[in-house]
Amino acid sequence: MNIKFLILAAATFLVTQCTCQQKSTEMKMPVTSSQEVNSTYPTEKPESGVTRLIEKQNIFLEKEKVNITFNKVTEDNRCPMNARCVWAGYASAEIEVMSVHSRPRKFIVSTIDDAGKNLKNSFVFNGHKYTLVNFYPANSTEVNFEKLKGKYVVDIKVE
C-alpha cells in the first residue's frame, strides 16, 4: 500500500513539473526580426586602410605581413536601441595578431578609451598601430547580446 502511494505521489509530482515548465516557456521576451538587427550593420565598404572582420574571422594583411583574427567579444554592455539608459556603455573585443616572425599576441580593444577601467581603443604591434574604428551592430534592438554571438563585426584601422 505504501508503494502505491509513493508511485502516485511521484507521478503527481512529474505531471505538475511538466505543467510548470510549459508555462515558463510562454513568458519569453519577444524576438526581434533579423531585419531590425541587420539595420545596424554596415552596408558600405570600409575606407582604405581599414580591415573589416567578422567574429572568428582570420585575415592575412599582406602589406603589414600580419595575420589578424577577431577572436571574440569580451564585453558588450551598450545601451540597446530605443532604451533609456543612464550610461551608454561600451563593447570590447579580443583581437589576435601574429606576424611572420612572432608568436600570436592577444589584445583587447574597446569602443572607449578609459585608463581608469584599463580600456583602450588601440594597440601597437610590430611597429603598426591598430585602432578599433567601428563595432557592429552599433546600436542593436536586441536586449540580450548573447543572441548576437558570432554575428559581431569590427573595423580595424592599421596605421
Side-chain angles (χ1 to χ4, degrees), residues 25-34 36-37 140-144 147:
T25 57
E26 291 171 5
M27 294 185 277
K28 286 185 179 176
M29 298 268 306
V31 177
T32 58
S33 71
S34 60
E36 289 173 335
V37 174
S140 176
T141 56
E142 185 62 59
V143 177
N144 184 0
K147 291 182 180 178

Side-chain angles (χ1 to χ4, degrees), residues 4 7 12 21-22 29 33 38 41 56 74 78 81 83 89 95 101 129 131 133 141 153-154:
K4 289 181 184 179
I7 293 173
T12 305
Q21 288 177 1
Q22 289 174 353
M29 298 268 306
S33 71
N38 287 338
Y41 283 95
K56 303 288 184 197
T74 57
R78 297 173 293 170
M81 189 183 304
I95 306 294
H101 305 290
K129 183 177 181 180
T131 306
V133 180
T141 56
V153 177
V154 294

Side-chain angles (χ1 to χ4, degrees), residues 84-111:
R84 291 183 181 216
C85 300
V86 176
W87 183 51
Y90 63 92
S92 298
E94 181 183 274
I95 306 294
E96 184 176 297
V97 288
M98 180 177 71
S99 74
V100 180
H101 305 290
S102 74
R103 291 184 175 186
R105 288 197 52 204
K106 294 179 182 178
F107 296 92
I108 304 293
V109 289
S110 181
T111 55

Side-chain angles (χ1 to χ4, degrees), residues 37-83:
V37 174
N38 287 338
S39 66
T40 61
Y41 283 95
T43 54
E44 72 287 341
K45 284 189 161 194
E47 63 186 57
S48 178
V50 174
T51 302
R52 181 163 289 155
L53 294 163
I54 300 168
E55 198 169 0
K56 303 288 184 197
Q57 184 179 14
N58 180 339
I59 294 178
F60 182 75
L61 303 176
E62 188 67 41
K63 182 180 173 187
E64 292 82 11
K65 302 283 190 235
V66 169
N67 201 22
I68 185 168
T69 307
F70 172 19
N71 284 340
K72 63 183 178 181
V73 174
T74 57
E75 190 168 5
D76 191 353
N77 60 20
R78 297 173 293 170
C79 186
M81 189 183 304
N82 301 326

